[in-house]
């Protein structure tokens, strides 16, 4: 069984920062990348950022470019999301996920998901 556990969520004022972390545990599994997704109340879950292990290429949703930074360690099976200049519209549950696919921005390609961590940005 594979488990992904997120940490680091919380309440922050607009303009502030948070760092989310995710660690995978359980049986060994193959992954080509890991990513972060988020779901705001009443909205569908959306892509935020991802990293492809093969060449360490990172990808970001337009809405977070320049503010969020994804990093990680494939050997340790960890991924982080540094979120700066947070906005109220960033309020959502943030999910960590892992994919065996090469298209790391493709949400249906993700096999393993964490339970999510709440991020709330107050105005």
């Amino acid at each position: 069984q594979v488990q992904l556990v997120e940490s680091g969520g919380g309440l922050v004022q607009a303009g502030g920062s948070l760092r989310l972390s995710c660690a995978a545990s359980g049986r060994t599994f193959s992954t080509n990348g890991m990513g972060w997704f988020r779901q705001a109340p009443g909205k569908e879950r959306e892509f935020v950022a991802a990293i492809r292990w093969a060449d360490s290429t990172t990808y970001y949703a337009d809405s977070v470019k320049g503010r969020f930074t994804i990093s990680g360690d494939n050997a340790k099976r960890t991924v982080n999301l540094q979120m700066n200049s947070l906005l109220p519209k960033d309020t959502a549950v943030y999910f960590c996920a892992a994919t065996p696919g090469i298209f790391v921005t493709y949400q249906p390609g993700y096999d393993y998901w964490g339970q999510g961590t709440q991020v709330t940005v107050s105005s």
Side-chain angles (χ1 to χ4, degrees), residues 53-115:
W53 297 130
D55 53 9
S56 299
T57 301
T58 57
Y59 301 85
Y60 298 93
D62 288 344
S63 59
V64 307
K65 276 181 184 176
R67 300 188 297 121
F68 291 11
T69 302
I70 188 170
S71 62
D73 187 324
N74 188 24
K76 296 180 179 179
R77 301 195 298 177
T78 60
V79 66
N80 305 300
L81 187 67
Q82 178 66 41
M83 306 186 295
N84 298 328
S85 303
L86 282 161
L87 304 169
K89 67 178 181 179
D90 294 318
T91 295
V93 177
Y94 284 71
F95 298 89
C96 163
T99 177
I102 61 174
F103 301 108
V104 296
T105 63
Y106 183 59
Q107 186 174 167
Y110 279 77
D111 285 349
Y112 304 107
W113 292 83
Q115 293 298 308

